[in-house]
Amino acid sequence: AQTVTQSQPEMSVQEAETVTLSCTYDTSESDYYLFWYKQPPSRQMILVIRQEAYKQQNATENRFSVNFQKAAKSFSLKISDSQLGDAAMYFCAYRTITSGSRLTFGEGTQLTVNP
Amino acid sequence: NAGVTQTPKFRVLKTGQSMTLLCAQDMNHEYMYWYRQDPGMGLRLIHYSVGEGTTAKGEVPDGYNVSRLKKQNFLLGLESAAPSQTSVYFCASSYGLARELFFGEGSRLTVL
């Protein structure tokens, strides 16, 4: 079974600065998908960014980008020019292409943005 | 286009009572999932379905049952609620393997 680990329960960043959230995963599969989801206090799960394992190029989405290291099984999220609205719980998730294509989540990182 | 809708949003039960959570999606998605979220543990998969009439166990299925009689609906049942089932429950759906999951707003269940 796949596992996802987020080693930083809490992180903080100053407004307009850059922060990187870490994520590692364990799998024996060669094809899969990785995601970062954001959960603000409203509790809604919001997709931040998606990465296909077969793509070497790192995904970017406006101020959000990832550093995908397939051999190291690492998938970190970089938030540039942090804004107060970025404050939320961030979850890293792994999606297998087998076993019902389930999504496995890490424990989450609580990000605080200081003005 | 409502996306993924969960009902009810909040519910308080007494130990031993039963209830059903309803998840409805209007996006014609094949895959549907039920997760529970507890503090410090992320989201854990309870049951899932890869199509109408199919269901399968996830990571934490004990104490729950599910049904997918219609493609757009995925029901999660608790036959005899226990305090350990106090949690926030999320339903999610997806069109295909490569796509992200779309989540409902969550349902907070408290079992006294």
Side-chain angles (χ1 to χ4, degrees):
Chain A
Q2 295 81 23
T3 58
V4 179
T5 302
Q6 294 178 248
S7 59
Q8 306 153 317
E10 298 176 346
M11 290 283 285
S12 64
V13 63
Q14 291 296 126
E15 195 175 3
E17 296 295 308
T18 296
V19 65
T20 298
L21 308 184
S22 300
C23 173
T24 59
Y25 56 94
D26 184 28
T27 185
S28 58
E29 298 177 333
S30 59
D31 196 12
Y32 48 87
Y33 301 89
L34 296 166
F35 303 86
W36 280 96
Y37 278 88
K38 167 184 176 181
Q39 187 181 43
S42 67
R43 205 169 66 193
Q44 182 67 42
M45 294 291 287
I46 302 166
L47 177 70
V48 175
I49 201 164
R50 180 177 77 118
Q51 174 79 44
E52 294 89 343
Y54 63 84
K55 289 187 177 180
Q56 293 186 341
Q57 186 174 6
N58 289 325
T60 62
E61 195 72 41
N62 299 318
R63 297 182 294 107
F64 299 88
S65 61
V66 298
N67 183 2
F68 173 47
Q69 301 289 329
K70 190 173 184 179
K73 298 179 183 176
S74 172
F75 184 58
S76 61
L77 175 69
K78 185 171 81 171
I79 306 174
S80 303
D81 186 24
S82 297
Q83 300 176 0
L84 295 177
D86 294 333
M89 180 72 84
Y90 286 81
F91 290 99
C92 177
Y94 172 104
R95 190 173 194 190
T96 178
I97 61 170
T98 62
S99 301
S101 192
R102 298 180 293 182
L103 195 65
T104 301
F105 287 87
E107 304 90 341
T109 296
Q110 182 68 51
L111 177 67
T112 300
V113 180
N114 300 310
Chain B
N1 190 343
V4 180
T5 304
Q6 295 181 225
T7 51
K9 298 290 191 297
F10 301 91
R11 184 73 186 271
V12 178
L13 289 176
K14 294 182 179 179
T15 297
Q17 288 185 319
S18 63
M19 75 158 295
T20 300
L21 291 172
L22 170 63
C23 177
Q25 52 92 5
D26 59 2
M27 298 174 282
N28 200 34
H29 286 174
E30 289 292 335
Y31 299 84
M32 296 189 74
Y33 306 83
W34 275 108
Y35 287 87
R36 61 177 288 174
Q37 182 177 22
D38 302 292
M41 301 185 75
L43 281 76
R44 293 180 294 167
L45 183 64
I46 305 172
H47 285 281
Y48 64 98
S49 170
V50 299
E52 181 179 321
T54 74
T55 63
K57 294 180 180 179
E59 183 185 356
V60 288
D62 293 343
Y64 305 95
N65 56 76
V66 288
S67 65
R68 184 123 180 248
L69 300 179
K70 294 182 178 180
K71 186 177 183 179
Q72 63 268 33
N73 296 336
F74 195 30
L75 279 64
L76 178 70
L78 286 72
E79 290 186 348
S80 179
S84 60
Q85 294 177 305
T86 293
S87 188
V88 178
Y89 292 84
F90 284 93
C91 177
S93 70
S94 171
Y95 180 72
L97 295 178
R99 307 308 303 177
E100 67 270 24
L101 270 61
F102 291 84
F103 285 83
E105 295 180 343
S107 298
R108 180 175 293 279
L109 173 65
T110 301
V111 182
L112 303 176

